[in-house]
Amino acid sequence: MSKRSSSQRSPQHRKHKTQTTPTPLQQPSQDQSQLSQNRLQQSPENELWRQRQWVKLFSEVTFKIRQSLQLKEILRATVTEVQRLLHADRVLIYQVLPDGSGKTISEAVLPAYPAILDLEFPEEAFPQEYQQLYAMGRVRAIADVHDPTAGLSDCLIAFIDQLQIKAKLIVPILQNLNAHTHSQPIAQNQLWGLLIVHHCDRPHQWMEFELELMQQLADQISIALAQAQLLEHLEEVVAVRTAELKDLNHNLQQEINDRMQAEAALRKSEEQLRLITNALPVLIAYVDDRQQYRFNNQAYCDWLGRSPGEIYQSHLQAVWGEDCYQRMQPHVEAALSGQIVTYENEIALKDHSCRPVSVTYIPHFNEHSTVIGFFALASDISDHKAIERMKDEFIAVVSHELRTPLTSLHSALKILTTGQLGVLSADGQQLLEIADENAERLVHLVNNVLDLQRIEAGEVKMEKQACDAAALMMQATDAMQLMAQQHRIKLVVQPVAIQLWVDADYIVQALTNLLSNAIKFSPPGGTVWLAVAVQSSKAQGFKATPCEAHASEALFQVRDEGQGIPFDKLERIFERFHQVDSSDSRKKGGTGLGLAICREIIEQHDGKIWAESRMSQGSTFFFTLPL
């Protein structure tokens, strides 16, 4: 509530209302007329002295009222000081309740007279019309309650006599209904209560300064009410805010506890993870999307001579050096794009020796399916490489040793099968043809082994030159027409004139190997397709479109209608001597080296080769070659 200032109710205004507002319930009494006459008879010196006393006493009361914001203390100080200043027998504050009833909430009374504190009065004791008059600022001063001109009813006089009241002064305490509202320019007052002074030993002529003092004190009480209600409102707001802050603090503390527990669990998990990873003889690390290390195990220290603290937050290039990083960079970018990558690399150790490793990158996705890093695992494959090298050397030695006698044997069997050295019986001729066929297979196997060994060892230099893809395709299909007719397979070729920079002989060999496999594993009456198209280096899958300006590689495909390849064997079929079914080598006459040779030839041309298949629906082999 806003404070009702003294400018709203000046002493002249109060004097006018007190003396010139006669109503049926408030007629000017004889005491009031005598009060006016007494005022006229007072000397100027006495009036000035009273004014000074009035100002002094009012200041004291106001100071004590404003010493506290607690309403009960304010009201108790008010009635006590008013009783002392006016030498009254009883001073009380009567509060009007919302239902029209009321009660005394603060009182100062001499011991000789009955106290009425906390005494409740029904609505009939203070009718609604009286409340309306006091709400308009009515002040009532009765010098003698038994004076007929006072206008008091007999029942009220009888009640007053019980309290031994001889004179009374009643001043309203008003509240502003728009105390906290600024939308209405004119304040609306509501009667909150009454400030009442009683003289009990004798009638009393009320002086003008007493009326003025009481009205000013009523104004101060109104201000104190507004302040107390504002304080109460602020206390409520503070209590609500405090409760909210307590809840927030509790929730925050709970969140902090949960986070601390999570961090403790994470630290424990990291310790366990580090304990496990440190015991493994492989390089294990986690790299973020900025290619910086966030975790690495003890093997990095053992291999590279750098502690985990030195490697933490270091870039891959800073750890591995420029040359090694150039080899791993495309695979790192593939992992950060969401692909699982496995490749072989060679790293330099702390003693400056080199070690071949097999590296696997596993991308790490967040809840939004965005790659935020990858796990890196690198294992030593030195022993595996040594075994492979020994095996290759053994195979090469054996192949070289077998090549000459096998060639002689095969030539001799060929001469015998022609009958130039004599004619054998039918059974002998059949056995001779079987021996010749097996000798031819052995010669083919030895040649394939030697070719593969030479390509892998880098001994074969690809003689690249400008070639037409259509011509290479026709050359390969012409070479396989006889085999296709023997197996009753239809070859469908879709040649496209595309200029390539390749070794024509080796590309034809790769095509014939793929066509040979497709023919052997297709059912009689089936069809094998050979096609080529040009695509962008970033294109996905096969595009049967003509050459475009932005294209950068040629995509070949060989498709059959065979039994299909299981998904888990699509990668392994390109390994040496690996076949989907071990009986295939006996049924189809394969050596298990054709696809391995194709992969080496394509990779020597900076291309890629892979297969796609559906069981019982056939397989398709793809490979790419740069233009």
Side-chain angles (χ1 to χ4, degrees):
M1 294 189 178
S2 65
K3 299 178 181 179
R4 185 163 56 91
S5 65
S6 59
S7 62
Q8 294 175 298
R9 292 172 51 86
S10 64
Q12 292 79 4
H13 175 71
R14 294 192 186 89
K15 184 188 304 181
H16 176 75
K17 287 195 60 81
T18 304
Q19 297 177 359
T20 63
T21 313
T23 65
L25 296 177
Q26 180 190 3
Q27 297 296 333
S29 64
Q30 183 179 359
D31 296 331
Q32 290 173 309
S33 299
Q34 294 175 356
L35 175 64
S36 300
Q37 294 176 4
N38 292 336
R39 183 177 60 81
L40 294 175
Q41 294 173 359
Q42 292 174 354
S43 64
E45 293 80 4
N46 291 337
E47 182 67 21
L48 182 60
W49 179 84
R50 288 183 181 276
Q51 289 291 338
R52 287 198 300 267
Q53 286 295 106
W54 173 75
V55 171
K56 179 181 178 182
L57 297 176
F58 176 74
S59 299
E60 292 178 358
V61 175
T62 302
F63 176 73
K64 291 191 176 183
I65 289 176
R66 295 190 177 182
Q67 276 185 326
S68 174
L69 291 176
Q70 298 297 325
L71 184 59
K72 288 184 179 181
E73 296 180 7
I74 292 172
L75 299 181
R76 183 168 60 251
T78 300
V79 297
T80 302
E81 294 302 317
V82 170
Q83 183 193 31
R84 183 178 65 84
L85 294 174
L86 300 184
H87 303 288
D89 298 323
R90 182 189 293 113
V91 178
L92 62 92
I93 294 177
Y94 176 88
Q95 184 181 9
V96 179
L97 301 178
D99 60 357
S101 63
K103 68 177 181 178
T104 304
I105 62 172
S106 187
E107 180 185 31
V109 60
L110 295 178
Y113 302 103
I116 59 174
L117 183 63
D118 295 330
L119 182 63
E120 296 186 4
F121 296 89
E123 184 181 2
E124 293 78 10
F126 191 42
Q128 186 67 33
E129 57 269 20
Y130 278 65
Q131 297 182 26
Q132 294 176 357
L133 290 173
Y134 282 111
M136 292 186 295
R138 175 188 187 185
V139 176
R140 193 167 190 190
I142 303 176
D144 186 356
V145 296
H146 293 283
D147 188 345
T149 61
L152 301 178
S153 61
D154 294 338
C155 61
L156 182 56
I157 293 173
F159 176 74
I160 290 174
D161 288 340
Q162 294 179 5
L163 301 177
Q164 303 178 21
I165 301 173
K166 297 299 189 292
K168 62 189 301 185
L169 175 61
I170 305 173
V171 180
I173 302 172
L174 303 178
Q175 278 184 309
N176 190 347
L177 289 178
N178 301 325
H180 299 291
T181 306
H182 303 283
S183 59
Q184 299 184 11
I186 301 177
Q188 297 181 4
N189 294 328
Q190 180 185 31
L191 180 65
W192 180 86
L194 304 172
L195 176 60
I196 303 173
V197 181
H198 290 163
H199 283 282
C200 300
D201 59 342
R202 63 187 180 281
H204 178 75
Q205 295 296 331
W206 299 101
M207 304 301 290
E208 183 177 359
F209 88 91
E210 293 176 323
L211 273 65
E212 292 293 341
L213 175 62
M214 292 290 288
Q215 290 172 342
Q216 291 286 357
L217 290 176
D219 287 343
Q220 293 300 316
I221 294 175
S222 296
I223 295 173
L225 284 172
Q227 293 176 339
Q229 290 182 351
L230 178 60
L231 176 63
E232 182 180 359
H233 174 70
L234 290 177
E235 288 177 345
E236 291 177 356
V237 172
V238 169
V240 172
R241 185 58 179 164
T242 300
E244 292 176 352
L245 289 176
K246 286 182 178 179
D247 292 341
L248 182 61
N249 184 56
H250 175 74
N251 295 335
L252 181 60
Q253 188 62 43
Q254 184 65 37
E255 183 178 351
I256 292 174
N257 293 337
D258 293 343
R259 184 170 297 179
M260 291 178 63
Q261 292 177 1
E263 290 177 353
L266 180 60
R267 285 194 299 270
K268 184 177 180 181
S269 177
E270 288 181 350
E271 291 174 358
Q272 293 176 345
L273 177 62
R274 187 172 293 279
L275 183 64
I276 294 173
T277 56
N278 286 344
L280 299 176
V282 296
L283 299 180
I284 301 175
Y286 178 79
V287 182
D288 63 18
D289 54 356
R290 294 180 297 176
Q291 301 187 27
Q292 293 180 347
Y293 279 94
R294 294 295 176 179
F295 173 84
N296 58 281
N297 66 340
Q298 184 65 29
Y300 276 81
C301 182
D302 300 337
W303 290 20
L304 306 181
R306 301 179 63 180
S307 66
E310 295 179 86
I311 297 177
Y312 181 72
Q313 290 189 336
S314 297
H315 194 273
L316 287 171
Q317 185 174 356
V319 175
W320 297 107
E322 181 66 27
D323 294 339
C324 186
Y325 178 71
Q326 291 297 329
R327 294 192 298 270
M328 67 171 58
Q329 185 177 11
H331 305 289
V332 170
E333 293 175 352
L336 291 176
S337 68
Q339 303 177 31
I340 298 177
V341 180
T342 299
Y343 69 100
E344 293 183 2
N345 199 356
E346 192 171 80
I347 63 175
L349 304 182
K350 60 184 179 181
D351 59 357
H352 304 293
S353 63
C354 294
R355 178 178 296 181
V357 292
S358 176
V359 185
T360 300
Y361 295 152
I362 303 174
H364 178 210
F365 298 89
N366 61 9
E367 63 275 9
H368 304 295
S369 299
T370 302
V371 179
I372 59 176
F374 61 88
F375 297 92
L377 296 90
S379 57
D380 183 6
I381 56 173
S382 300
D383 295 340
H384 176 69
K385 287 292 184 179
I387 293 173
E388 282 193 348
R389 188 162 51 251
M390 292 174 59
K391 182 176 65 175
D392 292 341
E393 292 174 356
F394 173 77
I395 292 175
V397 170
V398 172
S399 299
H400 278 289
E401 294 297 328
L402 290 177
R403 191 171 194 177
T404 301
L406 280 175
T407 303
S408 301
L409 180 60
H410 183 239
S411 300
L413 291 173
K414 279 291 185 184
I415 295 174
L416 289 175
T417 54
T418 60
Q420 296 179 11
L421 300 179
V423 179
L424 299 177
S425 63
D427 293 338
Q429 186 66 28
Q430 183 179 2
L431 291 174
L432 187 60
E433 291 176 356
I434 294 174
D436 178 57
E437 182 180 350
N438 288 331
E440 185 176 359
R441 287 183 59 195
L442 285 174
V443 171
H444 184 62
L445 174 61
V446 169
N447 289 334
N448 284 341
V449 169
L450 292 175
D451 288 343
L452 182 61
Q453 191 269 338
R454 289 174 59 214
I455 295 174
E456 289 180 343
E459 298 176 0
V460 175
K461 183 179 180 181
M462 300 293 174
E463 300 292 339
K464 298 181 181 179
Q465 56 185 347
C467 301
D468 184 9
L472 299 179
M473 295 169 66
M474 296 306 300
Q475 185 178 349
T477 52
D478 289 342
M480 300 307 298
Q481 280 293 349
L482 179 60
M483 181 179 179
Q485 293 174 1
Q486 292 175 349
H487 288 77
R488 291 183 294 157
I489 299 298
K490 180 181 178 182
L491 288 178
V492 177
V493 186
Q494 299 172 352
V496 178
I498 301 173
Q499 290 299 311
L500 304 175
W501 187 256
V502 295
D503 187 314
D505 293 337
Y506 279 103
I507 296 302
V508 171
Q509 181 180 355
L511 288 173
T512 55
N513 284 350
L514 293 176
L515 289 172
S516 173
N517 280 347
I519 293 171
K520 287 189 294 185
F521 291 98
S522 294
T527 303
V528 171
W529 292 266
L530 173 61
V532 67
V534 179
Q535 69 170 13
S536 168
S537 59
K538 296 183 178 180
Q540 299 293 327
F542 177 72
K543 284 188 176 182
T545 58
C547 182
E548 299 176 351
H550 66 276
S552 60
E553 61 186 12
L555 176 66
F556 290 82
Q557 68 166 340
V558 177
R559 180 162 61 92
D560 62 50
E561 295 178 329
Q563 61 188 8
I565 303 170
F567 180 79
D568 60 340
K569 295 186 177 182
L570 287 176
E571 289 291 333
R572 298 185 61 190
I573 57 175
F574 292 97
E575 297 177 2
R576 288 180 294 179
F577 304 109
H578 184 84
Q579 294 180 324
V580 176
D581 188 347
S582 59
S583 62
D584 287 343
S585 60
R586 296 186 298 270
K587 296 179 181 178
K588 310 296 183 180
T591 63
L593 293 174
L595 293 179
I597 293 174
C598 288
R599 182 176 65 178
E600 292 297 331
I601 293 173
I602 299 303
E603 290 180 353
Q604 288 286 335
H605 284 82
D606 299 323
K608 296 180 181 179
I609 186 169
W610 70 95
E612 297 177 2
S613 180
R614 290 186 179 181
M615 298 303 295
S616 304
Q617 297 184 18
S619 305
T620 303
F621 287 81
F622 300 91
F623 69 87
T624 61
L625 293 174
L627 301 183

